[in-house]
Amino acid sequence: MVSALGMTATLGGCGGSGSGEVTLKLVAAEYGDSKANSSQAYWDDLAARYEKTHPGVRIDVSVYSWNDVDAKVRKMVDAGEAPDMAQIGAYADYADEGLLYQAGELLSIPVQADFLPQLVNAGTVHRIQYGMPFAASTRVLFYNKELFEEAGITSPPRTWKELAADAAALEDAGVKIPYALPLGPEEAQAETMQWMLSGGAGYLDDVGSYDLDSEQNVETFTWLKEELVDKGLTGPTAPAQLNRADAFAAFTRGEVGMLNGHPSLLRSAAEKGVEFGTVTMPGRTGGTHAAMGVADWMMAFKQNGHQREIGSFLDFVYSEENVLAFSRKYDLLPTTTTASEAMAASKSDAELAAFLDELPETELYPVGKTSWAEVSAAVKQRIGEAVAPDGDPRAVLDELQQVALKAENGA
């Protein structure tokens, strides 16, 4: 992600010098990877189009990198200077503190009803929707077709056993990283969840309680350590030091045989001339298991008021045209039914079909839990230890479970 852009404008809630104009302050995350495709340009264009038909409202947008944006918003809130809106990675802690408008207090009925149902569920706290899904993605297994052919592999893996066998064949063929396993601090919680789901479990049990140390999860990470990492099939960089961005970059250089990826990898791999395929993440024994989905969130703070103006602007943000434009610009999936149906019917979006097909059945991070931010941070820092040479998957997962329970209970 590009570096944060400067935050130069006045805070939301300040009108224009006696003019009666309302200024809405929005803090948003950066989805671009260069100045040329920065999210600031998207928001500036959208704001200009909105202001043209709403002369009494000014939209002031500041964009920050994903490394900074959540902390920036927290700092503003703690200083009593909350923005009117924030488009960031989590909302539940602010909802639990009573700082947010409910979605139903802002959006028109057609707009609120257009959100994909599973994303609405993920956006609720105490059965009330506060988080408005802004962007989504799912994960599939990417594989390098040329490297597969050189290794004599005729079809992508469907089971863990086949994945391990393919990784071994790739290593024998001289592939630098047969399977990239990014468990570094950038986004280890994603790789962790995808493997937990493929093993039949996840972060939570069936009643919504943390269950990181379940027998299924222990078996999953024991298999990863013994069948991939210990056998040298995950490349020269220890998984605990491998970040997602570095794994993606290695894939685009043709150095990786297989890895879990999201839609943004489609364009970057194609631009580098990599011939690749995508399939559903292999399961322990094949068959059906939940895929992982990720959503980012829009929320609106009550501090400055402006409920009517915020609602009007968000109705515009979530129009089919604007949702599609943002999704296509950054290779993401729409969060609304109308935009999803339009993308599915468009030949120009055919490459996203595999991701769209998975979205209705995905399982998302437990973002509705106010404890999730702390748990996610702990997973990022610790899970790589589970597959280290002297690592103990059961001990690491037990320790993470204790962190989760303490965070859940506010200890």
Side-chain angles (χ1 to χ4, degrees):
M1 299 297 178
V2 300
S3 59
L5 299 177
M7 202 171 141
T8 58
T10 56
L11 289 169
C14 300
S17 306
S19 64
E21 180 182 83
V22 170
T23 297
L24 298 180
K25 175 66 182 178
L26 167 63
V27 175
E30 176 62 85
Y31 288 84
D33 57 10
S34 68
K35 186 175 182 180
N37 72 343
S38 170
S39 297
Q40 188 74 51
Y42 171 84
W43 284 111
D44 287 348
D45 173 72
L46 187 145
R49 288 188 286 115
Y50 180 80
E51 291 170 358
K52 188 174 182 179
T53 56
H54 298 78
V57 180
R58 179 170 175 260
I59 310 298
D60 179 8
V61 186
S62 295
V63 174
Y64 293 90
S65 78
W66 275 111
N67 293 331
D68 302 321
V69 68
D70 290 299
K72 290 285 186 183
V73 172
R74 172 48 70 181
K75 185 176 181 180
M76 293 172 70
V77 172
D78 290 347
E81 300 174 338
D84 295 283
M85 295 163 285
Q87 185 272 298
I88 51 179
Y91 67 88
D93 49 348
Y94 298 120
D96 194 59
E97 294 168 29
L99 302 178
L100 301 182
Y101 284 114
Q102 298 175 22
E105 295 175 319
L106 300 167
L107 303 174
S108 65
I109 291 175
V111 170
Q112 187 177 9
D114 197 27
F115 288 128
L116 294 169
Q118 74 274 26
L119 299 181
V120 172
N121 292 337
T124 61
V125 174
H126 307 308
R127 299 183 180 181
I128 297 173
Q129 184 184 2
Y130 295 93
M132 292 162 276
F134 182 74
S137 70
T138 58
R139 304 295 165 92
V140 298
L141 185 76
F142 282 71
Y143 63 97
N144 184 309
K145 290 183 176 181
E146 184 176 349
L147 296 181
F148 266 47
E149 184 177 349
E150 292 174 359
I153 305 170
T154 58
S155 61
R158 296 167 298 173
T159 66
W160 288 1
K161 183 177 180 179
E162 291 178 0
L163 186 148
D166 290 348
L170 289 163
E171 184 192 35
D172 290 343
V175 175
K176 183 177 180 180
I177 308 173
Y179 178 84
L181 183 66
L183 296 178
E186 178 193 357
E187 204 187 17
Q189 83 284 1
E191 187 76 11
T192 296
M193 183 170 173
Q194 185 63 74
W195 276 100
M196 285 179 170
L197 291 173
S198 72
Y203 284 117
L204 309 179
D205 60 19
D206 292 340
V207 295
S209 300
Y210 284 112
D211 198 22
L212 281 80
D213 59 348
S214 68
E215 280 302 313
Q216 289 161 303
N217 288 338
V218 171
E219 290 172 6
T220 293
F221 276 86
T222 299
W223 184 90
L224 278 172
K225 173 176 164 52
E226 295 178 352
E227 300 300 324
L228 293 184
V229 182
D230 289 352
K231 293 182 178 180
L233 301 179
T234 54
T237 303
Q241 275 75 56
L242 182 63
N243 282 324
R244 173 78 62 187
D246 296 325
F248 279 16
F251 187 82
T252 66
R253 294 194 300 267
E255 299 173 355
V256 175
M258 298 175 283
L259 84 171
N260 285 322
H262 50 65
S264 69
L265 186 55
L266 292 170
R267 180 180 300 178
S268 56
E271 288 176 348
K272 295 291 186 177
V274 177
E275 293 187 23
F276 63 88
T278 61
V279 292
T280 300
M281 174 68 179
R284 186 189 300 271
T285 58
T288 302
H289 59 272
M292 191 188 82
V294 177
D296 302 323
W297 303 94
M298 178 73 76
M299 64 212 70
F301 290 88
K302 296 190 291 187
Q303 178 181 318
N304 303 316
H306 302 153
Q307 177 180 350
R308 181 178 61 83
E309 291 85 357
I310 293 171
S312 173
F313 177 64
L314 290 179
D315 274 357
F316 182 71
V317 167
Y318 283 105
S319 69
E320 179 182 330
E321 173 189 2
N322 289 327
V323 171
L324 277 172
F326 186 87
S327 301
R328 286 168 171 159
K329 183 176 180 66
Y330 297 108
D331 295 313
L332 293 165
L333 302 181
T335 59
T336 64
T337 299
T338 52
S340 293
E341 290 175 346
M343 181 173 280
S346 171
K347 292 182 179 180
S348 63
D349 296 312
E351 63 183 5
L352 291 169
F355 300 93
L356 282 168
D357 289 345
E358 285 199 339
L359 188 57
E361 305 301 327
T362 55
E363 185 168 326
L364 286 81
Y365 298 134
V367 291
K369 287 181 172 290
T370 57
S371 55
W372 170 242
E374 184 175 345
V375 174
S376 175
V379 170
K380 291 178 182 180
Q381 293 300 321
R382 295 292 312 280
I383 195 62
E385 299 172 15
V387 297
D390 58 350
D392 183 339
R394 184 180 298 276
V396 171
L397 289 169
D398 283 345
E399 291 168 6
L400 287 171
Q401 175 70 5
Q402 293 307 308
V403 170
L405 292 177
K406 289 179 181 179
E408 185 80 339
N409 296 323

